[in-house]
Amino acid sequence: MALLLTAFFGDPAEWRRLFAARMPELDVRIWPDVGDERDIDVAAIAVLPHGKLKAFPKLRMIVSLLAGADVLLSDPSLPDIPIVRAADPAGDEMMNEAALVHVLRHHRHLPAYQLAQQRSEWISLPRLRASERKVGVLGLGTIGLAVAKTLAAHGFKVAGWVRQPRQQGEIEIFSGREQLPAFLARSEIIVNLLPLTPETRGILNKETFAQLPAGASVINLGRGGHVVEADLIAALDRDQLAGATLDVFPVEPLAKDSRLWRHPKITITPHVARRINAADLVPRICDSVRALAAGRPLENLIDRSRGY
Ligand code: NDP
């Protein structure tokens, strides 16, 4: 088996060492040193320029190194073969931590106290216990569910919004477009962890902001394309929203002249919610390659029609 890898993070030598230890028989080619394109059976990639995957006539499976497959799926010439995600089904502990720190920060009004400090103003905002704070997580997938559980374990009243109705322990579930308004109306802090699909693009907009309680906060850890920037700024400027934390942007890095940088109620983190490790991904890539080779069912499959 020959595997094409885009080692978009980490040291290529480290990737090779990890694959050699786990699956020495695997022939690993690191982009752009592909060798003979006819050899490649599997591509484990984050992103490749559109059209490149067409060059591999024997390609039988794509492994997405990223949790979100939006960029991959946007390639109009993507071959019609299975796409699996290398993401850990248990979620990502750094995403749990990122969500928790941002929720706590909004819960305890730190952005407002920072602004008050700049004005040397002694103010006192309502102090709520976590159990009195309602947090809503949009998307309870691999990453979103672990985040929701982390927030619930911290004492927050957590609800999640998904596509398919289900029971989920202590997390209250809202599903489908028809239950979105009720989910938003009960959520004082929302954390977006949806995949970017045609259905979710622009979902954080003036209509959805208006359905949140007055003074709600928005944390976007999903994709930049989920937020309608002008609507966010308008909602913050009219105090409909108290604040926003943005980790992801439609174009990254965010342009120097973006008005988001300078908005007093916006906190920007430059897509740093988590760190992807080669050591975490290699065992799962190898499991998928073995399943493919043995003709076993593939796990963590992306459904192209849903877009995630
Ligand atoms: P999954 O693909 O595992 O899960 C997606 C979740 O979103 C599911 O719960 C799904 O519902 C829900 N969903 C999808 N479409 C809709 C819809 N139209 N209406 C309601 N719910 C919907 O995603 P992950 O949890 O692994 O990751 C989520 C996203 O987080 C990634 O796609 C990526 O964009 C982002 N991300 C950002 C990172 C960062 O560094 N900031 C790092 C990693 C991920 P259902 O369960 O019913 O199918």
Side-chain angles (χ1 to χ4, degrees):
M1 277 272 192
L3 174 105
L4 166 70
L5 174 81
T6 56
F8 78 112
F9 59 89
D11 176 4
E14 168 75 352
W15 280 97
R16 283 199 188 286
R17 192 186 59 72
L18 290 161
F19 276 113
R22 190 93 188 179
M23 206 173 168
E25 69 278 21
L26 190 65
D27 173 4
V28 178
R29 317 267 177 96
I30 297 187
W31 178 267
D33 295 325
V34 183
D36 188 339
E37 287 154 342
R38 288 167 301 183
D39 297 340
I40 304 295
D41 300 285
V42 176
I45 57 178
V47 284
L48 268 188
H50 283 183
K52 290 284 177 199
L53 286 170
K54 269 199 322 200
F56 308 111
K58 260 177 61 194
L59 195 65
R60 286 196 284 150
M61 178 175 72
I62 298 167
V63 182
S64 172
L65 302 179
L66 299 179
D70 44 296
V71 178
L72 201 55
L73 294 179
S74 70
D75 182 348
S77 60
L78 197 64
D80 188 14
I81 53 175
I83 307 173
V84 299
R85 296 197 315 167
D88 186 339
D92 185 297
E93 115 193 358
M94 291 191 79
M95 290 300 283
N96 299 345
E97 192 179 86
L100 183 60
V101 74
H102 294 309
V103 167
L104 283 171
R105 198 168 155 270
H106 288 284
H107 166 59
R108 298 303 295 257
H109 307 296
L110 292 192
Y113 288 123
Q114 256 164 354
L115 289 175
Q117 182 179 346
Q118 285 166 17
R119 302 188 300 263
S120 309
E121 240 177 61
W122 185 270
I123 60 166
S124 186
L125 297 166
R127 273 156 281 170
L128 270 67
R129 291 168 188 260
S131 58
E132 297 167 315
R133 180 70 73 194
K134 292 177 175 162
V135 180
V137 180
L138 293 127
L140 295 183
T142 305
I143 288 173
L145 179 60
V147 159
K149 286 181 175 172
T150 301
L151 296 169
H154 200 82
F156 290 108
K157 272 193 188 148
V158 182
W161 185 63
V162 293
R163 244 160 57 114
Q164 301 298 328
R166 75 192 71 151
Q167 294 291 317
Q168 192 69 67
E170 79 270 53
I171 296 156
E172 191 183 354
I173 296 292
F174 294 80
S175 59
R177 279 281 166 170
E178 56 295 347
Q179 291 184 7
L180 182 59
F183 165 81
L184 294 169
R186 56 74 65 201
S187 300
E188 297 158 304
I189 301 174
I190 55 167
V191 181
N192 176 41
L193 277 164
L194 288 167
L196 187 62
T197 70
E199 282 180 36
T200 66
R201 183 176 289 280
I203 193 157
L204 300 177
N205 59 41
K206 57 174 179 266
E207 271 169 38
T208 43
F209 294 144
Q211 288 163 350
L212 290 165
S217 300
V218 172
I219 299 166
N220 187 21
L221 301 177
R223 286 285 181 264
H226 287 128
V227 177
V228 179
E229 181 182 310
D231 292 359
L232 176 69
I233 289 177
L236 290 165
D237 287 347
R238 71 168 83 96
D239 289 334
Q240 188 183 346
L241 294 177
T245 295
L246 308 175
D247 186 59
V248 283
F249 304 88
V251 178
E252 298 179 359
L254 182 62
K256 277 242 182 281
D257 61 357
S258 167
R259 56 191 170 161
L260 296 173
W261 286 114
R262 286 175 301 281
H263 198 286
K265 290 183 174 175
I266 293 179
T267 300
I268 287 178
T269 54
H271 205 148
V272 290
R274 71 160 171 172
R275 189 187 72 205
I276 310 180
N277 293 313
D280 296 333
L281 295 183
V282 167
R284 284 189 294 278
I285 298 171
C286 292
D287 288 350
S288 295
V289 171
R290 287 205 175 93
L292 180 77
R296 291 198 306 269
L298 298 172
E299 291 178 8
N300 288 326
L301 271 172
I302 287 172
D303 177 338
R304 287 174 196 233
S305 62
R306 291 187 320 187
Y308 67 98

